[in-house]
Amino acid sequence: TLSVYGRRLPSGLWDAAKDCARSWRGDPARLRVELWPVGTELRYRCEIRTATPNALGPLGIGLGLRPVQVEGGLGALKWKDRSLLRRLGSGLEANEELLILDAGEEVLESGSGNVFALFEGTIVTPVIDHRVLPGVTRARVIELASRAGLTVKEQPLGLAELGRAAEVFLTSSVRGVVPVTSCRESHWPIGDKTRTLHAALGELWMTRTQK
């Protein structure tokens, strides 16, 4: 908040977030905190959102990606204003999501998560920089992949290269590990590595919820 608004977090935010989390007695969920400026102050809101079925349940049929170029990417912050994504995603089907590309068709992220691709036993994900949101779930999945003996590389990934992957999946704090099955003329199965990481993340989330 200092770099964006020039203000520190409100003094009551931490206690409000804890109270909100303690009040929840339902199914596994996510705590969401929103901040916005009003005059010289920062206002905030905390709310609980139930985890989507895909996050802890079956993988489903997979997503299709629709590539769209956004020069410079969406940035390293998650903004409440999603109007750009709504405009770019006009006409998306229920099982489709945007794939954000920079110049030269460099893959950055999806409209709501980070991108991973499997190549001959190595998982590749785009480098986190000023163009890409550093997802919390992305970091967790990298840890889980390493524990499972998988090699993970953070490096530039082009759209053409993505098409040659054996498996593709997304990660987000709401949906967990989400398989991708198509993008333009490319098609991928829901593979073993995607299933393994989906199950491992679900187990991790359930363990922390029960604690």
Side-chain angles (χ1 to χ4, degrees):
T1 55
L2 276 174
S3 61
V4 178
Y5 299 118
R7 304 175 180 90
R8 297 188 180 280
L9 290 173
S11 59
L13 175 58
W14 179 240
D15 288 336
K18 290 192 292 184
D19 290 343
C20 185
R22 289 171 182 152
S23 69
W24 183 254
R25 294 292 183 271
D27 294 328
R30 295 285 172 265
L31 174 66
R32 182 183 181 91
V33 178
E34 295 183 353
L35 289 156
W36 66 95
V38 177
T40 60
E41 299 180 353
L42 277 180
R43 302 285 177 84
Y44 61 85
R45 175 171 54 240
C46 303
E47 63 178 2
I48 295 288
R49 295 187 177 182
T50 304
T52 59
N54 185 77
L56 299 170
L59 278 170
I61 62 173
L63 287 175
L65 296 180
R66 182 187 296 182
V68 61
Q69 185 171 327
V70 179
E71 188 172 352
L74 299 176
L77 300 172
K78 186 170 185 177
W79 297 94
K80 182 180 178 182
D81 181 1
R82 310 292 282 179
S83 57
L84 173 62
L85 288 176
R86 286 195 297 271
R87 187 176 77 252
L88 294 174
S90 176
L92 282 176
E93 301 293 337
N95 65 331
E96 283 188 311
E97 184 161 326
L98 293 174
L99 177 64
I100 309 301
L101 308 176
D102 203 346
E105 295 197 327
E106 179 183 357
V107 174
L108 298 180
E109 58 186 326
S110 79
S112 65
N114 294 108
V115 179
F116 289 79
L118 175 69
F119 298 92
E120 298 181 352
T122 297
I123 294 177
V124 174
T125 187
V127 177
I128 293 298
D129 55 24
H130 63 281
R131 303 171 298 170
V132 180
L133 181 72
V136 174
T137 303
R138 174 186 182 274
R140 294 290 176 270
V141 168
I142 289 175
E143 292 175 5
L144 292 170
S146 297
R147 291 179 196 172
L150 299 170
T151 299
V152 180
K153 292 184 178 181
E154 300 177 66
Q155 63 187 44
L157 179 64
L159 183 60
E161 183 182 8
L162 183 71
R164 296 191 290 272
E167 300 177 31
V168 179
F169 62 88
L170 309 177
T171 61
S172 80
S173 60
V174 174
R175 296 180 298 173
V177 173
V178 185
V180 173
T181 52
S182 66
C183 179
R184 288 183 178 170
E185 292 79 26
S186 299
H187 298 272
W188 305 280
I190 302 178
D192 292 340
K193 300 300 186 292
T194 301
R195 295 181 187 278
T196 296
L197 292 171
H198 172 266
L201 182 65
E203 182 179 354
L204 175 65
W205 281 355
M206 285 299 295
T207 300
R208 293 187 175 182
T209 298
Q210 291 166 357
K211 289 180 180 179

mmCIF file of all heavy atoms in Angstrom, residues 115-127 138-155 169 193 197:
data_model
loop_
_atom_site.group_PDB
_atom_site.id
_atom_site.type_symbol
_atom_site.label_atom_id
_atom_site.label_comp_id
_atom_site.label_asym_id
_atom_site.label_seq_id
_atom_site.Cartn_x
_atom_site.Cartn_y
_atom_site.Cartn_z
ATOM 1 N N VAL A 115 0.456 -19.617 -14.976
ATOM 2 C CA VAL A 115 0.505 -20.672 -15.984
ATOM 3 C C VAL A 115 1.689 -21.605 -15.735
ATOM 4 O O VAL A 115 2.802 -21.154 -15.449
ATOM 5 C CB VAL A 115 0.625 -20.065 -17.403
ATOM 6 C CG1 VAL A 115 0.704 -21.166 -18.456
ATOM 7 C CG2 VAL A 115 -0.550 -19.135 -17.687
ATOM 8 N N PHE A 116 1.432 -22.912 -15.873
ATOM 9 C CA PHE A 116 2.472 -23.930 -15.774
ATOM 10 C C PHE A 116 2.363 -24.864 -16.975
ATOM 11 O O PHE A 116 1.261 -25.189 -17.420
ATOM 12 C CB PHE A 116 2.313 -24.763 -14.497
ATOM 13 C CG PHE A 116 2.641 -24.036 -13.223
ATOM 14 C CD1 PHE A 116 1.730 -23.155 -12.660
ATOM 15 C CD2 PHE A 116 3.849 -24.257 -12.581
ATOM 16 C CE1 PHE A 116 2.021 -22.489 -11.479
ATOM 17 C CE2 PHE A 116 4.152 -23.597 -11.403
ATOM 18 C CZ PHE A 116 3.242 -22.711 -10.850
ATOM 19 N N ALA A 117 3.507 -25.328 -17.470
ATOM 20 C CA ALA A 117 3.523 -26.256 -18.604
ATOM 21 C C ALA A 117 4.568 -27.336 -18.349
ATOM 22 O O ALA A 117 5.657 -27.057 -17.834
ATOM 23 C CB ALA A 117 3.834 -25.523 -19.902
ATOM 24 N N LEU A 118 4.237 -28.573 -18.698
ATOM 25 C CA LEU A 118 5.129 -29.707 -18.486
ATOM 26 C C LEU A 118 5.823 -30.074 -19.787
ATOM 27 O O LEU A 118 5.178 -30.289 -20.816
ATOM 28 C CB LEU A 118 4.337 -30.912 -17.969
ATOM 29 C CG LEU A 118 5.117 -32.214 -17.808
ATOM 30 C CD1 LEU A 118 6.127 -32.114 -16.666
ATOM 31 C CD2 LEU A 118 4.169 -33.391 -17.580
ATOM 32 N N PHE A 119 7.175 -30.174 -19.730
ATOM 33 C CA PHE A 119 7.977 -30.583 -20.871
ATOM 34 C C PHE A 119 8.925 -31.693 -20.432
ATOM 35 O O PHE A 119 9.865 -31.446 -19.665
ATOM 36 C CB PHE A 119 8.811 -29.417 -21.409
ATOM 37 C CG PHE A 119 8.005 -28.251 -21.911
ATOM 38 C CD1 PHE A 119 7.691 -27.198 -21.061
ATOM 39 C CD2 PHE A 119 7.548 -28.203 -23.219
ATOM 40 C CE1 PHE A 119 6.952 -26.116 -21.507
ATOM 41 C CE2 PHE A 119 6.811 -27.132 -23.680
ATOM 42 C CZ PHE A 119 6.511 -26.081 -22.821
ATOM 43 N N GLU A 120 8.670 -32.925 -20.849
ATOM 44 C CA GLU A 120 9.572 -34.053 -20.584
ATOM 45 C C GLU A 120 10.029 -34.097 -19.131
ATOM 46 O O GLU A 120 11.228 -34.174 -18.835
ATOM 47 C CB GLU A 120 10.778 -33.990 -21.526
ATOM 48 C CG GLU A 120 10.407 -34.095 -22.997
ATOM 49 C CD GLU A 120 11.617 -34.066 -23.901
ATOM 50 O OE1 GLU A 120 12.725 -33.809 -23.389
ATOM 51 O OE2 GLU A 120 11.455 -34.286 -25.113
ATOM 52 N N GLY A 121 9.106 -34.014 -18.206
ATOM 53 C CA GLY A 121 9.432 -34.134 -16.789
ATOM 54 C C GLY A 121 9.818 -32.837 -16.109
ATOM 55 O O GLY A 121 10.014 -32.805 -14.899
ATOM 56 N N THR A 122 9.939 -31.753 -16.868
ATOM 57 C CA THR A 122 10.264 -30.446 -16.292
ATOM 58 C C THR A 122 9.050 -29.525 -16.396
ATOM 59 O O THR A 122 8.448 -29.403 -17.458
ATOM 60 C CB THR A 122 11.453 -29.799 -17.023
ATOM 61 O OG1 THR A 122 12.611 -30.612 -16.845
ATOM 62 C CG2 THR A 122 11.737 -28.404 -16.464
ATOM 63 N N ILE A 123 8.710 -28.897 -15.279
ATOM 64 C CA ILE A 123 7.593 -27.956 -15.271
ATOM 65 C C ILE A 123 8.146 -26.547 -15.438
ATOM 66 O O ILE A 123 9.036 -26.124 -14.696
ATOM 67 C CB ILE A 123 6.796 -28.064 -13.961
ATOM 68 C CG1 ILE A 123 6.117 -29.441 -13.871
ATOM 69 C CG2 ILE A 123 5.749 -26.963 -13.864
ATOM 70 C CD1 ILE A 123 5.374 -29.680 -12.581
ATOM 71 N N VAL A 124 7.619 -25.826 -16.412
ATOM 72 C CA VAL A 124 8.060 -24.462 -16.700
ATOM 73 C C VAL A 124 6.934 -23.494 -16.381
ATOM 74 O O VAL A 124 5.766 -23.735 -16.709
ATOM 75 C CB VAL A 124 8.466 -24.325 -18.190
ATOM 76 C CG1 VAL A 124 8.784 -22.866 -18.533
ATOM 77 C CG2 VAL A 124 9.664 -25.214 -18.487
ATOM 78 N N THR A 125 7.275 -22.380 -15.730
ATOM 79 C CA THR A 125 6.308 -21.317 -15.449
ATOM 80 C C THR A 125 6.978 -19.971 -15.708
ATOM 81 O O THR A 125 8.193 -19.821 -15.477
ATOM 82 C CB THR A 125 5.805 -21.403 -13.990
ATOM 83 O OG1 THR A 125 4.748 -20.466 -13.790
ATOM 84 C CG2 THR A 125 6.916 -21.139 -12.986
ATOM 85 N N PRO A 126 6.253 -19.003 -16.263
ATOM 86 C CA PRO A 126 6.865 -17.703 -16.573
ATOM 87 C C PRO A 126 7.498 -17.041 -15.345
ATOM 88 O O PRO A 126 7.027 -17.209 -14.215
ATOM 89 C CB PRO A 126 5.681 -16.876 -17.094
ATOM 90 C CG PRO A 126 4.760 -17.896 -17.683
ATOM 91 C CD PRO A 126 4.861 -19.080 -16.765
ATOM 92 N N VAL A 127 8.540 -16.295 -15.604
ATOM 93 C CA VAL A 127 9.249 -15.570 -14.539
ATOM 94 C C VAL A 127 8.331 -14.489 -13.966
ATOM 95 O O VAL A 127 7.586 -13.833 -14.693
ATOM 96 C CB VAL A 127 10.534 -14.925 -15.101
ATOM 97 C CG1 VAL A 127 11.244 -14.117 -14.029
ATOM 98 C CG2 VAL A 127 11.446 -16.004 -15.662
ATOM 99 N N ARG A 138 0.765 -20.181 -6.660
ATOM 100 C CA ARG A 138 1.887 -20.499 -7.549
ATOM 101 C C ARG A 138 3.089 -20.945 -6.727
ATOM 102 O O ARG A 138 3.720 -21.972 -7.034
ATOM 103 C CB ARG A 138 2.243 -19.277 -8.387
ATOM 104 C CG ARG A 138 3.501 -19.432 -9.253
ATOM 105 C CD ARG A 138 3.832 -18.096 -9.912
ATOM 106 N NE ARG A 138 4.991 -18.187 -10.800
ATOM 107 C CZ ARG A 138 6.259 -18.065 -10.407
ATOM 108 N NH1 ARG A 138 6.534 -17.847 -9.122
ATOM 109 N NH2 ARG A 138 7.242 -18.134 -11.287
ATOM 110 N N ALA A 139 3.430 -20.180 -5.684
ATOM 111 C CA ALA A 139 4.579 -20.511 -4.845
ATOM 112 C C ALA A 139 4.377 -21.856 -4.143
ATOM 113 O O ALA A 139 5.312 -22.659 -4.034
ATOM 114 C CB ALA A 139 4.803 -19.406 -3.815
ATOM 115 N N ARG A 140 3.155 -22.107 -3.664
ATOM 116 C CA ARG A 140 2.863 -23.372 -2.988
ATOM 117 C C ARG A 140 3.031 -24.554 -3.941
ATOM 118 O O ARG A 140 3.569 -25.599 -3.568
ATOM 119 C CB ARG A 140 1.449 -23.368 -2.432
ATOM 120 C CG ARG A 140 1.223 -22.367 -1.322
ATOM 121 C CD ARG A 140 1.939 -22.764 -0.038
ATOM 122 N NE ARG A 140 1.769 -21.728 0.971
ATOM 123 C CZ ARG A 140 2.586 -20.691 1.138
ATOM 124 N NH1 ARG A 140 3.662 -20.582 0.356
ATOM 125 N NH2 ARG A 140 2.387 -19.798 2.079
ATOM 126 N N VAL A 141 2.547 -24.403 -5.161
ATOM 127 C CA VAL A 141 2.623 -25.501 -6.121
ATOM 128 C C VAL A 141 4.073 -25.762 -6.536
ATOM 129 O O VAL A 141 4.459 -26.920 -6.733
ATOM 130 C CB VAL A 141 1.732 -25.206 -7.345
ATOM 131 C CG1 VAL A 141 2.014 -26.174 -8.493
ATOM 132 C CG2 VAL A 141 0.259 -25.296 -6.945
ATOM 133 N N ILE A 142 4.876 -24.733 -6.644
ATOM 134 C CA ILE A 142 6.302 -24.932 -6.933
ATOM 135 C C ILE A 142 6.956 -25.743 -5.813
ATOM 136 O O ILE A 142 7.736 -26.666 -6.062
ATOM 137 C CB ILE A 142 7.011 -23.573 -7.120
ATOM 138 C CG1 ILE A 142 6.566 -22.935 -8.440
ATOM 139 C CG2 ILE A 142 8.525 -23.750 -7.104
ATOM 140 C CD1 ILE A 142 7.110 -21.537 -8.672
ATOM 141 N N GLU A 143 6.618 -25.438 -4.569
ATOM 142 C CA GLU A 143 7.140 -26.195 -3.422
ATOM 143 C C GLU A 143 6.683 -27.651 -3.485
ATOM 144 O O GLU A 143 7.487 -28.578 -3.286
ATOM 145 C CB GLU A 143 6.671 -25.564 -2.109
ATOM 146 C CG GLU A 143 7.258 -24.208 -1.816
ATOM 147 C CD GLU A 143 6.645 -23.584 -0.564
ATOM 148 O OE1 GLU A 143 5.841 -24.271 0.109
ATOM 149 O OE2 GLU A 143 6.975 -22.424 -0.257
ATOM 150 N N LEU A 144 5.393 -27.860 -3.745
ATOM 151 C CA LEU A 144 4.848 -29.216 -3.802
ATOM 152 C C LEU A 144 5.462 -30.015 -4.939
ATOM 153 O O LEU A 144 5.734 -31.213 -4.797
ATOM 154 C CB LEU A 144 3.327 -29.153 -3.952
ATOM 155 C CG LEU A 144 2.559 -28.622 -2.741
ATOM 156 C CD1 LEU A 144 1.102 -28.378 -3.104
ATOM 157 C CD2 LEU A 144 2.655 -29.582 -1.559
ATOM 158 N N ALA A 145 5.686 -29.366 -6.081
ATOM 159 C CA ALA A 145 6.310 -30.052 -7.216
ATOM 160 C C ALA A 145 7.735 -30.487 -6.873
ATOM 161 O O ALA A 145 8.152 -31.606 -7.201
ATOM 162 C CB ALA A 145 6.307 -29.139 -8.435
ATOM 163 N N SER A 146 8.469 -29.619 -6.190
ATOM 164 C CA SER A 146 9.837 -29.955 -5.794
ATOM 165 C C SER A 146 9.853 -31.130 -4.822
ATOM 166 O O SER A 146 10.700 -32.032 -4.916
ATOM 167 C CB SER A 146 10.512 -28.738 -5.165
ATOM 168 O OG SER A 146 10.619 -27.683 -6.096
ATOM 169 N N ARG A 147 8.902 -31.130 -3.883
ATOM 170 C CA ARG A 147 8.809 -32.248 -2.928
ATOM 171 C C ARG A 147 8.487 -33.556 -3.632
ATOM 172 O O ARG A 147 8.895 -34.631 -3.192
ATOM 173 C CB ARG A 147 7.731 -31.959 -1.888
ATOM 174 C CG ARG A 147 8.056 -30.843 -0.918
ATOM 175 C CD ARG A 147 6.908 -30.649 0.046
ATOM 176 N NE ARG A 147 6.989 -29.385 0.758
ATOM 177 C CZ ARG A 147 6.034 -28.899 1.540
ATOM 178 N NH1 ARG A 147 4.915 -29.600 1.703
ATOM 179 N NH2 ARG A 147 6.184 -27.746 2.147
ATOM 180 N N ALA A 148 7.745 -33.469 -4.725
ATOM 181 C CA ALA A 148 7.373 -34.669 -5.485
ATOM 182 C C ALA A 148 8.487 -35.117 -6.426
ATOM 183 O O ALA A 148 8.307 -36.060 -7.199
ATOM 184 C CB ALA A 148 6.097 -34.403 -6.281
ATOM 185 N N GLY A 149 9.625 -34.439 -6.380
ATOM 186 C CA GLY A 149 10.762 -34.814 -7.211
ATOM 187 C C GLY A 149 10.731 -34.264 -8.609
ATOM 188 O O GLY A 149 11.500 -34.713 -9.470
ATOM 189 N N LEU A 150 9.862 -33.271 -8.857
ATOM 190 C CA LEU A 150 9.765 -32.669 -10.177
ATOM 191 C C LEU A 150 10.687 -31.454 -10.284
ATOM 192 O O LEU A 150 10.871 -30.724 -9.309
ATOM 193 C CB LEU A 150 8.334 -32.237 -10.459
ATOM 194 C CG LEU A 150 7.286 -33.359 -10.452
ATOM 195 C CD1 LEU A 150 5.886 -32.769 -10.508
ATOM 196 C CD2 LEU A 150 7.519 -34.312 -11.610
ATOM 197 N N THR A 151 11.258 -31.251 -11.452
ATOM 198 C CA THR A 151 12.085 -30.074 -11.699
ATOM 199 C C THR A 151 11.189 -28.927 -12.155
ATOM 200 O O THR A 151 10.370 -29.099 -13.053
ATOM 201 C CB THR A 151 13.128 -30.364 -12.793
ATOM 202 O OG1 THR A 151 13.973 -31.430 -12.361
ATOM 203 C CG2 THR A 151 13.978 -29.127 -13.072
ATOM 204 N N VAL A 152 11.341 -27.777 -11.502
ATOM 205 C CA VAL A 152 10.554 -26.602 -11.867
ATOM 206 C C VAL A 152 11.505 -25.502 -12.314
ATOM 207 O O VAL A 152 12.455 -25.169 -11.605
ATOM 208 C CB VAL A 152 9.696 -26.103 -10.689
ATOM 209 C CG1 VAL A 152 8.885 -24.878 -11.109
ATOM 210 C CG2 VAL A 152 8.777 -27.201 -10.195
ATOM 211 N N LYS A 153 11.257 -24.936 -13.486
ATOM 212 C CA LYS A 153 12.073 -23.840 -14.005
ATOM 213 C C LYS A 153 11.195 -22.607 -14.232
ATOM 214 O O LYS A 153 10.127 -22.708 -14.837
ATOM 215 C CB LYS A 153 12.755 -24.239 -15.321
ATOM 216 C CG LYS A 153 13.812 -25.315 -15.166
ATOM 217 C CD LYS A 153 14.519 -25.585 -16.487
ATOM 218 C CE LYS A 153 15.612 -26.630 -16.328
ATOM 219 N NZ LYS A 153 16.312 -26.883 -17.622
ATOM 220 N N GLU A 154 11.659 -21.480 -13.750
ATOM 221 C CA GLU A 154 11.001 -20.204 -13.996
ATOM 222 C C GLU A 154 11.756 -19.523 -15.130
ATOM 223 O O GLU A 154 12.896 -19.084 -14.944
ATOM 224 C CB GLU A 154 10.997 -19.357 -12.730
ATOM 225 C CG GLU A 154 10.269 -20.026 -11.571
ATOM 226 C CD GLU A 154 10.321 -19.201 -10.292
ATOM 227 O OE1 GLU A 154 9.736 -18.104 -10.269
ATOM 228 O OE2 GLU A 154 10.960 -19.663 -9.321
ATOM 229 N N GLN A 155 11.138 -19.446 -16.281
ATOM 230 C CA GLN A 155 11.810 -18.908 -17.453
ATOM 231 C C GLN A 155 10.778 -18.422 -18.459
ATOM 232 O O GLN A 155 9.596 -18.765 -18.362
ATOM 233 C CB GLN A 155 12.698 -19.977 -18.098
ATOM 234 C CG GLN A 155 11.922 -21.180 -18.612
ATOM 235 C CD GLN A 155 12.832 -22.302 -19.099
ATOM 236 O OE1 GLN A 155 13.827 -22.634 -18.451
ATOM 237 N NE2 GLN A 155 12.499 -22.888 -20.244
ATOM 238 N N PHE A 169 -1.460 -26.381 -16.961
ATOM 239 C CA PHE A 169 -2.442 -26.092 -15.920
ATOM 240 C C PHE A 169 -2.230 -24.692 -15.370
ATOM 241 O O PHE A 169 -1.172 -24.068 -15.568
ATOM 242 C CB PHE A 169 -2.396 -27.138 -14.797
ATOM 243 C CG PHE A 169 -1.094 -27.225 -14.046
ATOM 244 C CD1 PHE A 169 -0.847 -26.427 -12.934
ATOM 245 C CD2 PHE A 169 -0.117 -28.127 -14.435
ATOM 246 C CE1 PHE A 169 0.350 -26.519 -12.230
ATOM 247 C CE2 PHE A 169 1.095 -28.231 -13.745
ATOM 248 C CZ PHE A 169 1.321 -27.417 -12.633
ATOM 249 N N LYS A 193 0.795 -35.436 -13.844
ATOM 250 C CA LYS A 193 1.441 -34.423 -13.008
ATOM 251 C C LYS A 193 0.419 -33.389 -12.539
ATOM 252 O O LYS A 193 0.456 -32.935 -11.391
ATOM 253 C CB LYS A 193 2.572 -33.739 -13.798
ATOM 254 C CG LYS A 193 3.658 -34.695 -14.268
ATOM 255 C CD LYS A 193 4.330 -35.395 -13.107
ATOM 256 C CE LYS A 193 5.519 -36.241 -13.559
ATOM 257 N NZ LYS A 193 5.101 -37.417 -14.373
ATOM 258 N N LEU A 197 -0.447 -32.777 -8.514
ATOM 259 C CA LEU A 197 -0.320 -31.483 -7.840
ATOM 260 C C LEU A 197 -1.679 -30.970 -7.361
ATOM 261 O O LEU A 197 -1.770 -30.330 -6.310
ATOM 262 C CB LEU A 197 0.344 -30.481 -8.783
ATOM 263 C CG LEU A 197 1.807 -30.795 -9.084
ATOM 264 C CD1 LEU A 197 2.347 -29.893 -10.180
ATOM 265 C CD2 LEU A 197 2.661 -30.669 -7.827
#
